[in-house]
Amino acid sequence: KSGLDPGGAWHAWGMACLKAGNLTSAREKFNRCLKPPMDLNQLNHGSRLVQDVIQYLESTVKPVLITDDDYFATLRELEATLRTRSLSLEMMCEGKIQHNSYYQECLFYLHSYGTNLAIISFYMRHDCMREALLHLLNKESPSEVFIEGVFIPSYESGKLHMLENLLETIDPGLESWGVYLIAACKYLQRKNYYHILYELQQFMKDHVRAAMTCIRFFTHGAKSYTELGGKQTWLLKIKDHLKVYLQEVSRSAGRKKMAFTFRKKMSATDVSRHINTVDLQMEVTKFLHQCESSGASQMTDSSLPTLFGNNNMKMDVACKVILEGKNIEEGFGIAFRVLQDFQLDATEVYSKVAKQLVKQQKYSEIQQLLKCVNESGVAAKNDGDNIILNCLNEFKNIPAEDLDNLIQDMDSDENKIQAYMMCSKLRSAYLVSVRQEKARAVQLVQRVRQLAESSGDDVVKAICAQWL
């Protein structure tokens, strides 16, 4: 008469029937106020009213043993069990709890008015993981429901192995679980749960991704190569994963194409290249670990470069290896292989090293570096000269004697003249200029004269004018 919503009254009446143990009557009353959700895959447990019903029923569930204790069951409970038996799904839990009429009643309300997440969470609460997984597959629920309803509760309660065993039992190839497993990996990565992630990737036999996780274990948080030296087992694990992957690829190549849809793929060439990188990183790690242990190490960088980074980081590794040995020659071989394997800009690396040596005032070692570069067999004609020019461009205060030694080590007269001009050694620039072929000598001497004029060096200016 007053036009109020009768839903609340029906719900209260239904709850009263439940508490009185009249399950049939309760269903009839709830049918008038409960509605199934619009979207069964929404990430919640359905309406508050349904949750109240389930909460009450679950608090009333008492496992009844179907053995000699059978006669303890009340007549009403037996009657209700027979009545609700038709509701039970084909997939029944192994636990005795399934024989309880209140348990069956929960399933009735969940299947009629609950979301998939609510049904799955109910199964998980009652240790019926298999049923939860089968429901997920049958309803083709999205991966968020798997994460929320099955995966998080499994690892939080230490049942990840049980979950893995069940996934494999239901589908030995794991193909039907692919979408869910990849979503679980992404979730773990977002949460930074890398140990669980690695465990899961090994179960999935996703060797390429497992190798990538091992790279993170090797590099993450290390502040020195002494620390990395203690983490070398991860490098061996990376190699193992990649080798197993190669074996699997070659095995499946013989048979008809296998549908490894969710496992990361990589060409055999790329895998071999990565194995080579790991081998080289092992060599670098051993070398730099040794240098740090012997106290030869002098560079203190905040970030620790490894060969698993981008090209700039790989160049930093090459520089570090050359600079941290007892002398330039000791680390040059490894650095040279890094430059060759990754096709890095060698001149840029050598220039960086040379600048570092100037900072450390190790001028004789720059000459040793140039010797190594020239003997490497792949240096272009002007590489050595360019390294010195790059240094002079940045440092004007090199002691006179060391400066002369460096410039005299240059191959090309043109570069020597340019170097002398850069360092305002105009008399030396004049002396090399006049030895050139006539037309070129005139151009060079004119240039020296201009510089002498602008810098106020009257002596050199007069010499140039006289020669011209």
Side-chain angles (χ1 to χ4, degrees):
K1 280 179 183 178
S2 57
L4 296 173
D5 176 23
W10 286 117
H11 187 261
W13 197 350
M15 288 303 284
C17 292
L18 270 190
K19 286 169 185 172
N22 190 346
L23 303 181
T24 316
S25 225
R27 284 191 187 188
E28 186 195 323
K29 307 297 178 284
F30 284 130
N31 188 37
R32 295 171 181 269
C33 62
L34 298 180
K35 291 185 179 66
M38 298 288 284
D39 174 14
L40 287 173
N41 288 320
Q42 59 197 40
L43 285 183
N44 58 42
H45 291 258
S47 73
R48 184 68 255 169
L49 300 180
V50 178
Q51 289 179 54
D52 288 344
V53 173
I54 300 302
Q55 214 169 339
Y56 173 75
L57 286 169
E58 279 189 293
S59 66
T60 319
V61 167
K62 299 178 194 69
V64 176
L65 302 174
I66 309 294
T67 53
D68 303 341
D69 305 339
D70 220 7
Y71 51 84
F72 284 125
T74 63
L75 283 171
R76 177 178 279 155
E77 186 152 347
L78 283 172
E79 186 190 339
T81 304
L82 292 169
R83 224 180 17 251
T84 57
R85 207 72 184 130
S86 56
L87 293 166
S88 58
L89 304 169
E90 292 169 28
M91 37 191 189
M92 288 304 292
C93 290
E94 290 160 21
K96 300 285 184 342
I97 199 168
Q98 70 198 35
H99 299 298
N100 188 294
S101 58
Y102 285 98
Y103 174 85
Q104 295 305 325
E105 211 59 20
C106 283
L107 285 178
F108 167 77
Y109 286 107
L110 284 168
H111 280 281
S112 304
Y113 310 110
T115 60
N116 284 327
L117 180 59
I119 297 168
I120 285 164
S121 300
F122 174 80
Y123 281 133
M124 292 295 285
R125 278 198 301 281
H126 294 285
D127 292 328
C128 300
M129 195 186 282
R130 180 186 169 80
E131 286 65 32
L133 289 170
L134 288 172
H135 183 83
L136 186 86
L137 267 192
N138 293 341
K139 300 293 177 188
E140 296 179 352
S141 291
S143 47
E144 291 81 7
V145 174
F146 170 74
I147 302 286
E148 202 70 34
V150 181
F151 187 69
I152 295 175
S154 295
Y155 78 70
E156 283 183 348
S157 58
K159 291 180 179 171
L160 193 57
H161 281 296
M162 185 202 262
L163 171 62
E164 290 173 350
N165 291 337
L166 276 170
L167 293 175
E168 214 164 17
T169 309
I170 295 168
D171 177 4
L174 299 178
E175 282 307 315
S176 45
W177 303 115
V179 179
Y180 299 121
L181 288 169
I182 291 296
C185 289
K186 285 178 180 168
Y187 166 81
L188 292 170
Q189 205 165 353
R190 276 199 308 276
K191 288 280 188 182
N192 287 333
Y193 295 161
Y194 284 94
H195 288 279
I196 304 175
L197 173 65
Y198 182 51
E199 149 76 32
L200 189 62
Q201 286 167 337
Q202 289 180 91
F203 161 72
M204 290 159 66
K205 297 185 175 60
D206 195 347
H207 294 292
V208 175
R209 286 194 182 96
M212 288 155 79
T213 306
C214 290
I215 290 175
R216 196 210 179 254
F217 283 134
F218 174 71
T219 55
H220 186 68
K223 294 279 183 287
S224 68
Y225 261 88
T226 306
E227 276 180 57
L228 286 183
K231 293 168 111 183
Q232 288 190 77
T233 45
W234 288 113
L235 293 176
L236 295 170
K237 285 184 179 177
I238 298 168
K239 271 183 78 170
D240 290 343
H241 283 301
L242 294 176
K243 281 178 177 172
V244 171
Y245 177 77
L246 274 183
Q247 285 165 2
E248 285 183 0
V249 167
S250 61
R251 269 207 303 273
S252 63
R255 301 196 295 271
K256 62 177 188 289
K257 275 212 157 178
M258 290 176 77
F260 281 139
T261 45
F262 66 92
R263 296 176 181 97
K264 191 166 176 64
K265 291 195 178 96
M266 196 178 270
S267 71
T269 323
D270 282 348
V271 175
S272 303
R273 200 161 43 77
H274 286 305
I275 291 174
N276 188 41
T277 301
V278 174
D279 285 334
L280 203 47
Q281 181 62 54
M282 279 173 129
E283 229 176 301
V284 166
T285 307
K286 279 176 191 158
F287 177 76
L288 290 175
H289 180 196
Q290 229 170 350
C291 294
E292 284 180 6
S293 307
S294 66
S297 173
Q298 287 166 340
M299 283 178 81
T300 49
D301 280 331
S302 50
S303 64
L304 196 65
T306 68
L307 298 177
F308 299 119
N310 57 20
N311 277 358
N312 285 340
M313 195 186 260
K314 289 179 180 116
M315 287 161 90
D316 288 345
V317 171
C319 290
K320 200 171 171 64
V321 169
I322 295 175
L323 286 164
E324 297 214 358
K326 287 197 287 286
N327 52 46
I328 294 296
E329 222 167 329
E330 193 185 21
F332 189 84
I334 298 174
F336 183 71
R337 274 182 40 219
V338 170
L339 297 174
Q340 290 289 293
D341 281 12
F342 299 107
Q343 297 176 333
L344 302 172
D345 183 343
T347 313
E348 194 182 328
V349 170
Y350 299 145
S351 295
K352 259 183 162 178
V353 171
K355 285 172 189 174
Q356 201 65 36
L357 291 170
V358 172
K359 273 185 190 167
Q360 295 168 10
Q361 299 183 345
K362 295 183 175 175
Y363 305 110
S364 59
E365 293 203 13
I366 297 178
Q367 290 169 297
Q368 197 182 6
L369 172 69
L370 296 174
K371 181 171 171 278
C372 289
V373 171
N374 290 328
E375 287 171 359
S376 68
V378 293
K381 188 166 182 284
N382 279 333
D383 276 2
D385 290 6
N386 289 335
I387 292 166
I388 295 171
L389 287 172
N390 282 336
C391 273
L392 300 182
N393 215 3
E394 215 161 300
F395 303 98
K396 307 295 183 208
N397 53 353
I398 300 172
E401 192 183 332
D402 294 304
L403 187 61
D404 278 338
N405 290 339
L406 283 176
I407 296 175
Q408 276 160 24
D409 274 347
M410 289 176 138
D411 290 327
S412 138
D413 280 351
E414 289 275 342
N415 288 334
K416 281 181 186 173
I417 296 162
Q418 194 186 335
Y420 282 131
M421 286 178 181
M422 280 164 73
C423 303
S424 302
K425 286 182 164 288
L426 300 180
R427 190 186 180 88
S428 303
Y430 164 78
L431 290 171
V432 183
S433 298
V434 295
R435 294 208 304 265
Q436 305 311 304
E437 176 262 323
K438 202 58 164 271
R440 182 67 183 138
V442 171
Q443 289 175 338
L444 291 166
V445 173
Q446 279 172 338
R447 180 108 183 279
V448 174
R449 185 176 67 172
Q450 280 168 359
L451 285 171
E453 199 170 340
S454 58
S455 65
D457 189 337
D458 294 337
V459 179
V460 175
K461 183 184 163 190
I463 297 169
C464 290
Q466 192 182 352
W467 184 88
L468 286 166

